[in-house]
Amino acid sequence: MSRYFCVDYKHFCDIIKLLQGGACHDKGERIKQRREQLGISQTELAECIGTSKQNLYKYENDIITNIPSDRVEALAKRLNTSPAYIMGWNE
């Protein structure tokens, strides 16, 4: 008999992290971590990239995962990193 279970994205990420023995950084975590490293408020970053503080919160908490490319570019520029880093294409 097979067993099925449902796992949300955050828990799935935690499981993968444990299996790989490394950190699981998704887009939201990378954005938030970099913003905090630079001492930038959510309000300031949101204004800089042309979105609302609420949307930035949703980006950082992976509620919105399909971030428009122009916003990814603006985030990368303001956070002094690359779009590839934001997207997780290179770590």
Side-chain angles (χ1 to χ4, degrees):
M1 172 182 267
S2 336
R3 295 183 187 172
Y4 296 94
F5 60 94
C6 181
V7 178
D8 64 27
Y9 179 77
K10 288 288 189 187
H11 290 111
F12 177 76
C13 192
D14 290 340
I15 291 167
I16 297 301
K17 181 185 348 179
L18 290 172
L19 292 174
Q20 294 178 338
C24 180
H25 295 286
D26 45 28
K27 286 180 279 202
E29 288 179 59
R30 283 188 293 275
I31 293 167
K32 183 176 182 177
Q33 180 182 41
R34 190 71 184 127
R35 177 181 62 76
E36 290 176 344
Q37 285 174 345
L38 296 172
I40 303 168
S41 71
Q42 281 186 327
T43 302
E44 180 185 346
L45 184 56
E47 288 174 3
C48 184
I49 68 168
T51 194
S52 66
K53 181 181 172 186
Q54 291 80 5
N55 272 351
L56 181 58
Y57 171 86
K58 291 175 184 178
Y59 296 163
E60 289 185 350
N61 289 282
D62 293 310
I63 297 166
I64 296 176
T65 57
N66 188 18
I67 304 171
S69 61
D70 61 324
R71 294 268 159 57
V72 172
E73 290 176 19
L75 281 164
K77 183 176 181 177
R78 181 61 184 98
L79 298 175
N80 301 321
T81 190
S82 68
Y85 173 77
I86 298 287
M87 298 303 294
W89 296 333
N90 64 354
E91 305 244 358

